[in-house]
Amino acid sequence: MTRSFRVAVVGAGPAGIYAAQELLSHDEFDIEVDVIDRLPTPYGLVRYGVAPDHPKIKSIQRALQRTFEQPRIRFLGDVEIGSALTPGDLDEVYDAVVYSTGAALGRGLEIPGEDLPGVVSANDFVSWYSAHPDTAPGFLPETLRTATAVAVIGAGNVALDVARVLVKAVPLLAETDMPQHVLDRLAASRVKDVHLVIRRGPAQAKFTSKELREFADLDDVDVVLDAALLPTDGELEALDTHARNNIAAMRLLADHHVENPARRVHFHFWSRPTRVVGEASVEALEVASVRLDDDRLVDTGDLDLIAVQGVFPAVGYASTPVGDLPFDPAIARIPHADGRILDRGQVTPGRYVAGWVKRGPSGVVGSNRQDAIATVASVLADLADAPDSTATVAAADELLASRGVHPVSYDGWLGIDQAEIALGEASGRQRTKIHEWERLRHYGADTVPS
Ligand code: NAP
């Protein structure tokens, strides 16, 4: 006889949904899955991290959506584990819980001046243009209204996303689902120069070549990249494919010149930020010139000042603790062995972890699939040896009701989805995202989990 179990997945981003899909796909079990998220909307970073002008990556959402269209799965949105409910509560009503809560915090630079008005974490900036309900429309500091030059720090794709949104013509961005207040603010921006500040060299950058090449498609944006810093053909031999592709893209960018550009992007390699300079707000970024010595960055002794009025650190994400679950602050992850959560080295039965909170913020969206499958293999191995389940839907729903929690169901999410499409159509767009908690809850209400 097929054995039935109930599993909760906490976090409705790609890792969580891939885990849910994997749990549903094993015919030797009859597993029901509740996917719980703190937000009223599913899809995590696909909705709130992938750049709005990257529709191909955004379309992953359609594949994720198919998981929710299957039987035996529910979405329970607007339910925060750690406040409304605790991990201990979930242990009571599910046979297993997979935590895939991602990495919601932007890392800081830990340099003097970082608190000055005008320093904005790339993570917050991305949340703002992605209509994340935690980021108020007016959150950008006033000082940025008059900024003409800004620095974006980092050599990853988030830095490129931020730089591109800052320089791209607003009519092109209006083709996306960005909220109107974001388009209005970007249209009023006076930023002319965006300085990408990169602490290593062209061959070490984490950018991907496809994202680099996008700057060459912007016909009103000039790129300032010193070709002399790029490896020669002979030096390319020693590089891996990632670096070689990047260098090819950078050569293209070094040749991309535009007369009378609307904006400029400057690539500053071998520049380690040391201080944000300013009295009342950002006036400049101080950078130390560096070189690599056996894979270690060493200062050459030269300091430089880049005149900017805004600084966007895009230096990676960090996960945050989930309720009282074990958490290793040194690496900002939940400790685990094969996806099983460890508490002081011991496996905590029934608790698992997947995605960025398990392995750190790296890879592309699809990397989370293998990661989730690996964790689910541990879940299934443990369930195979577990006693028969006593978990019921009624018990889970009673728990939610007893805490006054009214989850947004998948049908509720579809209500939000329709409202966004209608809002977009009203102004000739495919979709305009809704960013207010109240409106998300309003359109997501009136349905029960199904
Ligand atoms: P990332 O790829 O890890 O890049 C972080 C960058 O910050 C690195 O270049 C790192 O330099 C730099 N950095 C770290 N600390 C620094 C410091 N104190 N001062 C100066 N620079 C510092 O992270 P990410 O850009 O946040 O992206 C996260 C993940 O999402 C990545 O896997 C990325 O590929 C993915 N993503 C993909 C896309 C896409 O495919 N279009 C878009 C966005 C994000 P070092 O290399 O020197 O450490």
Side-chain angles (χ1 to χ4, degrees):
M1 200 182 80
T2 315
R3 299 184 67 212
S4 302
F5 292 100
R6 287 185 48 74
V7 178
V9 172
V10 180
I17 299 176
Y18 288 132
Q21 176 59 47
E22 183 64 10
L23 285 161
L24 294 172
S25 69
H26 283 262
D27 293 340
E28 67 271 32
F29 295 99
D30 180 8
I31 296 179
E32 292 178 351
V33 183
D34 282 352
V35 181
I36 299 172
D37 203 287
R38 158 181 118 68
L39 295 174
T41 53
Y43 310 127
L45 270 193
V46 173
R47 181 173 160 89
Y48 290 118
V50 171
D53 61 341
H54 280 171
K56 194 148 171 249
I57 312 179
K58 284 263 181 219
S59 71
I60 292 173
Q61 190 169 308
R62 282 203 290 280
L64 298 176
Q65 180 178 329
R66 283 198 280 277
T67 297
F68 282 116
E69 289 164 357
Q70 297 174 49
R72 295 190 281 128
I73 181 168
R74 305 193 300 175
F75 173 62
L76 304 178
D78 200 7
V79 180
E80 185 162 28
I81 307 305
S83 60
L85 302 176
T86 64
D89 291 329
L90 297 185
D91 293 341
E92 297 290 318
V93 292
Y94 293 99
D95 298 302
V97 185
V98 179
Y99 291 89
S100 51
T101 46
L105 210 64
R107 282 195 186 275
L109 290 167
E110 287 158 26
I111 57 173
E114 198 175 1
D115 297 334
L116 280 170
V119 180
V120 174
S121 151
N123 182 37
D124 291 343
F125 186 67
V126 170
S127 293
W128 172 72
Y129 67 59
S130 303
H132 194 294
D134 281 349
T135 313
F139 109 98
L140 278 184
E142 275 305 300
T143 54
L144 279 180
R145 278 193 192 279
T146 51
T148 55
V150 298
V152 180
I153 299 171
N157 280 339
V158 171
L160 292 187
D161 283 348
V162 169
R164 193 179 63 258
V165 166
L166 286 167
V167 297
K168 201 165 184 172
V170 172
L172 293 178
L173 294 174
E175 293 169 7
T176 72
D177 57 13
M178 281 181 176
Q180 192 57 46
H181 66 265
V182 171
L183 293 171
D184 292 345
R185 182 77 196 255
L186 291 172
S189 163
R190 297 188 202 166
V191 170
K192 176 98 179 164
D193 292 282
V194 174
H195 298 271
L196 269 166
V197 177
I198 300 155
R199 66 180 175 180
R200 292 173 204 267
Q204 292 81 33
K206 289 185 175 157
F207 305 137
T208 49
S209 57
K210 187 169 160 291
E211 279 64 24
L212 279 166
R213 284 172 188 271
E214 282 179 71
F215 287 94
D217 296 334
L218 303 178
D219 53 19
D220 58 349
V221 176
D222 194 29
V223 178
V224 183
L225 191 159
D226 183 357
L229 293 175
L230 301 180
T232 60
D233 284 344
E235 289 165 334
L236 281 185
E237 302 283 309
L239 301 180
D240 62 17
T241 311
H242 170 88
R244 276 209 295 269
N245 289 341
N246 272 356
I247 300 304
M250 288 177 197
R251 286 179 177 177
L252 187 77
L253 293 186
D255 285 341
H256 181 75
H257 295 300
V258 171
E259 288 297 318
N260 301 316
R263 291 182 174 138
R264 281 182 296 256
V265 179
H266 309 251
F267 283 74
H268 299 260
F269 292 105
W270 303 115
S271 300
R272 185 172 68 82
T274 45
R275 193 162 59 102
V276 183
V277 182
E279 287 289 323
S281 63
V282 177
E283 292 168 26
L285 179 70
E286 183 190 76
V287 295
S289 205
V290 289
R291 62 182 170 78
L292 267 185
D293 183 0
D294 264 355
D295 221 27
R296 223 168 43 86
L297 285 178
V298 287
D299 289 2
T300 64
D302 294 331
L303 286 176
D304 203 359
L305 278 182
I306 307 173
V308 290
Q309 302 82 45
V311 173
F312 296 83
V315 294
Y317 291 89
S319 297
T320 47
V322 184
D324 57 0
L325 286 183
F327 190 75
D328 182 345
I331 52 170
R333 291 179 215 164
I334 294 178
H336 73 97
D338 296 329
R340 297 177 177 92
I341 294 181
L342 295 178
D343 190 2
R344 280 158 285 186
Q346 300 297 311
V347 167
T348 55
R351 293 176 171 184
Y352 304 83
V353 65
W356 278 8
V357 70
K358 170 187 174 190
R359 69 170 202 283
S362 65
V364 294
V365 174
S367 317
N368 292 296
R369 188 150 180 276
Q370 286 315 315
D371 183 302
I373 288 173
T375 291
V376 168
S378 294
V379 178
L380 298 178
D382 295 349
L383 288 180
D385 294 335
D388 285 345
S389 172
T390 54
T392 61
V393 176
D397 289 350
E398 271 163 33
L399 171 68
L400 291 164
S402 72
R403 302 295 162 83
V405 178
H406 304 286
V408 173
S409 67
Y410 185 66
D411 285 345
W413 151 246
L414 293 180
I416 296 170
D417 191 41
Q418 285 307 314
E420 290 188 338
I421 291 169
L423 188 63
E425 280 171 356
S427 52
R429 308 171 72 198
Q430 283 191 356
R431 172 191 299 270
T432 300
K433 273 165 114 181
I434 294 171
H435 63 278
E436 303 100 323
W437 275 103
E438 312 81 67
R439 282 174 74 209
L440 290 169
R441 284 178 174 143
H442 170 75
Y443 290 114
D446 301 322
T447 48
V448 287
S450 60

